[in-house]
Amino acid sequence: MINSLLLSAPLSSFHRPPNPKNLTLTLPAKPTSLLFFPISTKPFSSSNFPQFLIRASTRDTNTYASKEEDGEGEVLVGEDSAAFDLGKQKISSWIYFSAILGVVLFVLQVAWIDNSTGFGKAFVDYVSTLSESHEVVMLMLIIIFATVHSGLASLRDEGEKLIGERAFRVIFAGLSLPLAVSTVVYFINHRYDGLQLWQVQGTPGVHQLVWVSNFISFFFLYPSTFNLLEVASVDKPKMHLWETGIVRITRHPQMVGQVIWCLAHTVWIGNSVAVATSVGLIGHHLFGVWNGDRRLAKRYGEAFEVVKSRTSVIPFAAILTGRQLLPKDYYKEFIRLPYLTITALTLGAYFVHPLMQAASFHLHW
């Protein structure tokens, strides 16, 4: 329900030319490295233009630009999302990831979740004293989380310069994760405590519609699974400029996924607590659309403007208006391990719903 986020080379012109002879790529004046890999060495002609993969590296981030072989795609200035090369993975990195995950969960349990040792219950109890309304308390928990989460995200550039990427990620996660857990637990425990506005749970087809909607929402909600090693700071965290996969449909998949999730749960639960929760979460993610674009524009400049010009916030809008040209094999961008992982986790989350509800209930938050 609650979620988290290479290149820096400015590109002065990225209009797709009608003739390959007119193709112009403006690269950084002083790139750290510039590599050209010819893919085709056939004689030059307008129908047989040599293909190149161009990699320009500046500072600690990379810009990838490539011309599609079928001649129908656009030059990519962002990253290929969900790309996962098993051959490049290090066993040691995933051992570190598992160890860090275990430590984080242990600390979270002791310092926040366990009522005998943690501060989670005291925090929720304090917020609950501010109002007798579950709707108001739910909104306040979301606002507190959103302020910390988006506030730290806005300070990311300055924070990383001051203390480094990994240290900033630890602070970001260390503050955001407990607040997210509190918000989720409170919602689970009080989701049926509001004023009932409608009741459609017995209506034929509604359960199936809600289930499918939730399943789809998770494909939008969790782009962070593209870089789990960065999430845990095993790899140095980076702010990515994605351009393929789900981003072709919408530039802000987390917002779209959250809207789908909220609508599905609100329809199913049908009370004032669900409505308040949806208002808070959707409002937070709409702010994230503006704030995310602002941060990406600040980090990537003209490169982001290129990606922005051929993507859209509203799903499929860029595709329908012709600004986004889909490759013939677009579906292959989804047949990748991160998306398969999301599928498995989504199915698993559905089947462990009773366990999640029971665990939340026993906390008495």
Side-chain angles (χ1 to χ4, degrees):
M1 182 174 70
I2 308 282
N3 318 281
S4 89
L5 318 156
L6 290 297
L7 97 140
S8 59
L11 299 159
S12 63
S13 177
F14 263 94
H15 301 289
R16 180 169 176 255
N19 188 314
K21 295 180 180 179
N22 298 325
L23 180 62
T24 300
L25 296 179
T26 303
L27 296 170
K30 295 181 179 180
T32 303
S33 62
L34 183 61
L35 303 175
F36 286 75
F37 301 96
I39 299 174
S40 174
T41 57
K42 296 180 181 179
F44 174 85
S45 69
S46 61
S47 62
N48 183 25
F49 186 67
Q51 311 294 305
F52 296 94
L53 170 63
I54 302 172
R55 173 173 177 170
S57 176
T58 59
R59 295 191 296 276
D60 63 342
T61 55
N62 296 321
T63 299
Y64 298 92
S66 63
K67 186 175 184 298
E68 300 290 344
E69 292 188 28
D70 60 9
E72 296 184 3
E74 292 184 298
V75 176
L76 293 181
V77 294
E79 289 184 80
D80 185 13
S81 66
F84 186 88
D85 189 342
L86 188 60
K88 294 182 179 180
Q89 302 303 307
K90 297 180 180 179
I91 296 178
S92 60
S93 294
W94 289 102
I95 293 176
Y96 291 147
F97 171 82
S98 301
I100 291 172
L101 180 62
V103 171
V104 168
L105 293 177
F106 175 78
V107 173
L108 184 65
Q109 172 67 23
V110 173
W112 196 259
I113 297 176
D114 191 325
N115 288 336
S116 63
T117 59
F119 296 95
K121 179 173 174 54
F123 168 73
V124 174
D125 287 347
Y126 174 76
V127 176
S128 299
T129 62
L130 301 178
S131 175
E132 295 181 356
S133 168
H134 295 299
E135 295 84 353
V136 173
V137 173
M138 190 72 239
L139 281 172
M140 286 193 293
L141 288 172
I142 293 174
I143 290 171
I144 293 171
F145 167 81
T147 301
V148 172
H149 188 268
S150 293
L152 287 175
S154 298
L155 297 173
R156 179 173 180 173
D157 287 345
E158 292 76 12
E160 289 182 344
K161 291 177 182 178
L162 184 64
I163 63 176
E165 292 88 343
R166 287 186 171 89
F168 186 82
R169 175 56 60 87
V170 170
I171 294 175
F172 179 83
L175 294 176
S176 298
L177 188 57
L179 296 176
V181 170
S182 298
T183 307
V184 172
V185 170
Y186 189 87
F187 172 76
I188 293 176
N189 286 345
H190 299 281
R191 67 193 186 282
Y192 286 114
D193 289 343
L195 176 65
Q196 197 68 36
L197 303 175
W198 60 81
Q199 178 58 260
V200 297
Q201 292 187 5
T203 304
V206 171
H207 180 268
Q208 291 78 4
L209 175 63
V210 169
W211 192 94
V212 171
S213 298
N214 277 288
F215 186 84
I216 294 173
S217 75
F218 278 81
F219 282 92
F220 289 89
L221 272 171
Y222 291 106
S224 60
T225 55
F226 296 162
N227 295 86
L228 284 176
L229 294 180
E230 289 183 24
V231 173
S233 290
V234 176
D235 290 346
K236 183 184 293 186
K238 300 179 180 67
M239 184 186 297
H240 294 278
L241 182 63
W242 305 118
E243 194 177 2
T244 62
I246 202 74
V247 179
R248 294 186 188 272
I249 297 175
T250 172
R251 190 169 65 255
H252 290 280
Q254 280 187 286
M255 180 276 293
V256 173
Q258 190 67 79
V259 170
I260 296 173
W261 186 96
C262 286
L263 292 178
H265 279 75
T266 301
V267 168
W268 181 252
I269 297 173
N271 66 20
S272 55
V273 170
V275 171
T277 303
S278 294
V279 169
L281 290 176
I282 293 174
H284 175 215
H285 282 75
L286 289 177
F287 171 80
V289 169
W290 170 82
N291 196 37
D293 279 355
R294 180 189 65 82
R295 293 169 56 220
L296 287 171
K298 180 180 178 181
R299 174 71 67 96
Y300 296 114
E302 190 173 349
F304 169 70
E305 297 301 326
V306 173
V307 173
K308 181 179 179 180
S309 69
R310 57 195 186 205
T311 56
S312 60
V313 175
I314 300 175
F316 300 103
I319 297 173
L320 295 176
T321 57
R323 293 185 290 115
Q324 173 64 235
L325 303 179
L326 295 178
K328 292 180 179 178
D329 57 352
Y330 169 59
Y331 67 93
K332 292 182 180 179
E333 295 178 359
F334 289 92
I335 307 177
R336 293 174 173 178
L337 184 59
Y339 287 114
L340 297 177
T341 302
I342 292 174
T343 301
L345 291 177
T346 302
L347 292 173
Y350 174 77
F351 289 112
V352 300
H353 256 59
L355 296 178
M356 294 168 58
Q357 293 166 6
S360 297
F361 175 76
H362 288 301
L363 291 176
H364 300 289
W365 289 6

